[in-house]
Amino acid sequence: MNLSLLWIPVTLAAAAAQTGRNATQRRLTEQIGTVGATQVRFLYGFPFALLALAGVRLVSGEGVPAPNATFLLYVLGGAATQILATALMLSAMRERAFSVVTAYTKTEPVQVALFGLVLLGDPLTPPVALAILVATAGVVLMSVKPGTSLTSAGVRPVAAGVAAGAFFALAAIGFRGAILSLPEGSFVIRATTTLAWGLGLQTAILLVWLGLFDRRALLASFAAWRPSLGAGFLGALASQFWFIGFALTTAANVRTLALVEVLMAQAVSHRFMAQTTTRRELVGMALILGGVAFLLLSQH
């Protein structure tokens, strides 16, 4: 069976699940604060990751790959940087529109490509590099509002969004490195094992942090368990697909195609938050679609 293009539908599924999770977390941020909402995706996602791992083992008959030192280093790096990225993204969403902040974080693919080349030796061909630049230009265009000065009160959410993109890039490289470092098993069992380890580490880190420094947020996340459970499920589902994508192709390919999430976020803003789409944003969308299309055409 030819799996060379399986990463495409897998990534699209991940982007759809992540859009739903981001919208759910944004509402939770208003109820329980940024740190509490950040913790929710990991604490409530971890049980679903364990269920996924048990299901994959049952269906495939494979054992869980044993971790090694390289795996643990990569997965811990991915776990820590993803926590920081999520917290920065949710903080920015408290001050700017959902679709705009999502756009800022999606400056990530350029950094993913560079980090992947340097840290993992992932190839970066000229057509793929061009596709990344075109799609990222579309994201930047969408995120710039006519007549808005970035030297005004909008600097902080912009900086937080771009920094979140950088940490998301490092997280993607960390998790792909962890998946590749496992010596045995199919791509599905290696991806799911990495997901379980990643969410387990993230849950432990945040439980300790909140227990020491923000018990109110921790208790609030337990009280808001119903919406938190939905965010955790969508987060685990999205991550499962992301990790399968990372197991199949470079993180740069996955995260560039994932820019379609910006278009999904725009649809969410338009439908549920009564936000209109400007001409500039439409041009940005066209660039994103053009870059993604060029990326797909460059695949062999």
Side-chain angles (χ1 to χ4, degrees), residues 197-243:
W197 270 91
L199 284 176
L201 287 169
Q202 289 164 328
T203 298
I205 291 169
L206 282 169
L207 282 176
V208 171
W209 175 268
L210 291 175
L212 291 174
F213 301 109
D214 198 345
R215 293 182 183 178
R216 181 179 296 179
L218 180 60
L219 294 175
S221 69
F222 291 146
W225 65 269
R226 289 188 179 181
S228 297
L229 198 62
F233 170 75
L234 288 172
L237 182 64
S239 294
Q240 177 71 63
F241 285 125
W242 289 134
F243 283 29

Side-chain angles (χ1 to χ4, degrees), residues 30-293:
E30 299 170 357
Q31 299 177 32
I32 62 178
T34 300
V35 179
T38 300
Q39 178 255 6
V40 156
R41 69 171 287 191
F42 305 118
L43 174 64
Y44 287 90
F46 182 44
F48 291 110
L50 293 178
L51 287 174
L53 184 58
V56 170
R57 285 191 63 192
L58 182 65
V59 172
S60 68
E62 296 181 88
V64 177
N68 52 52
T70 303
F71 170 85
L72 293 175
L73 181 63
Y74 272 123
V75 78
L76 180 59
T81 51
Q82 192 176 47
I83 288 173
L84 291 172
T86 305
L88 285 167
M89 179 186 71
L90 292 175
S91 176
M93 281 181 176
R94 298 182 71 175
E95 302 182 46
R96 294 296 290 269
F98 175 76
S99 61
V100 172
V101 173
T102 300
Y104 285 134
T105 66
K106 296 312 169 190
T107 56
E108 164 197 356
V110 173
Q111 300 171 78
V112 169
L114 295 176
F115 290 145
L117 178 65
V118 173
L119 298 176
L120 299 179
D122 283 341
L124 181 61
T125 64
V128 170
L130 180 60
I132 292 171
L133 290 175
V134 170
T136 302
V139 170
V140 173
L141 187 63
M142 281 188 66
S143 66
V144 176
K145 296 285 186 181
T148 299
S149 172
L150 296 182
T151 60
S152 64
V155 170
R156 186 168 60 181
V158 171
V162 173
F167 283 119
F168 276 128
L170 288 170
I173 295 305
F175 289 133
R176 173 163 161 79
I179 292 167
L180 295 179
S181 69
L182 290 175
E184 57 187 17
S186 67
F187 67 92
V188 177
I189 193 70
R190 287 185 289 114
T192 311
T193 298
T194 303
L195 173 62
W197 270 91
L199 284 176
L201 287 169
Q202 289 164 328
T203 298
I205 291 169
L206 282 169
L207 282 176
V208 171
W209 175 268
L210 291 175
L212 291 174
F213 301 109
D214 198 345
R215 293 182 183 178
R216 181 179 296 179
L218 180 60
L219 294 175
S221 69
F222 291 146
W225 65 269
R226 289 188 179 181
S228 297
L229 198 62
F233 170 75
L234 288 172
L237 182 64
S239 294
Q240 177 71 63
F241 285 125
W242 289 134
F243 283 29
I244 291 175
F246 294 152
L248 292 169
T249 189
T250 67
N253 282 346
V254 172
R255 300 308 294 163
T256 302
L257 178 57
L259 289 176
V260 298
E261 184 191 342
V262 175
L263 309 184
M264 297 177 185
Q266 184 71 12
V268 169
S269 293
H270 181 74
R271 174 66 179 84
F272 297 106
M273 302 175 191
Q275 294 173 1
T276 59
T277 302
T278 66
R279 184 177 302 176
R280 179 184 292 268
E281 288 170 336
L282 289 173
V283 175
M285 290 178 187
L287 285 173
I288 293 171
L289 290 174
V292 166

